[in-house]
Amino acid sequence: MVIRFLMFIIIILSLPFFSRFSYGIDTITVSNNLSDGRRVSSDGSFKLGFFSSGSSGKSRCVGIWLRKIPVQTVVWVANRCNPIKDSSGVLMINSTGNLVLLSQSRSIVRASNSNEEA
């Protein structure tokens, strides 16, 4: 009985450790931001991430583009009208559950405003 109880405690205490690894590379959570780099969808059909926009290449946008075609085809852009002027950014979910796009200097570029619980 004691051994079963100890095994139960070990399993319960290890759940937070293993849950960090259960998310796919296409998941953004409060503790798992999307830094300036690319994430691939779980089925590999599209990418969500940062890309350079404009002729200078210094403006950064967050977008979704198709992956399985030879030419990068962007299908959605979060900040087309307000690109990040820094060399990098972060897409995150803040503590209130809103999706927030930050510049390298940590200023808010764009944010959702959700007051409802899922």
Side-chain angles (χ1 to χ4, degrees), residues 86-104:
D86 300 331
S87 60
S88 65
V90 174
L91 184 63
M92 63 178 286
I93 297 176
N94 67 12
S95 60
T96 60
N98 288 302
L99 190 61
V100 180
L101 176 59
L102 301 173
S103 67
Q104 184 178 8

Side-chain angles (χ1 to χ4, degrees), residues 41-103:
S41 68
S42 58
D43 69 352
S45 61
F46 66 89
K47 287 185 180 182
L48 165 69
F50 291 84
F51 64 93
S52 295
S53 67
S55 58
S56 69
K58 293 186 178 182
S59 296
R60 306 292 288 160
C61 289
V62 172
I64 297 173
W65 59 95
L66 301 175
R67 183 166 183 247
K68 295 183 177 181
I69 57 175
V71 178
Q72 180 176 318
T73 303
V74 177
V75 294
W76 177 81
V77 180
N79 58 322
R80 182 183 313 271
C81 296
N82 188 18
I84 298 171
K85 303 297 183 204
D86 300 331
S87 60
S88 65
V90 174
L91 184 63
M92 63 178 286
I93 297 176
N94 67 12
S95 60
T96 60
N98 288 302
L99 190 61
V100 180
L101 176 59
L102 301 173
S103 67

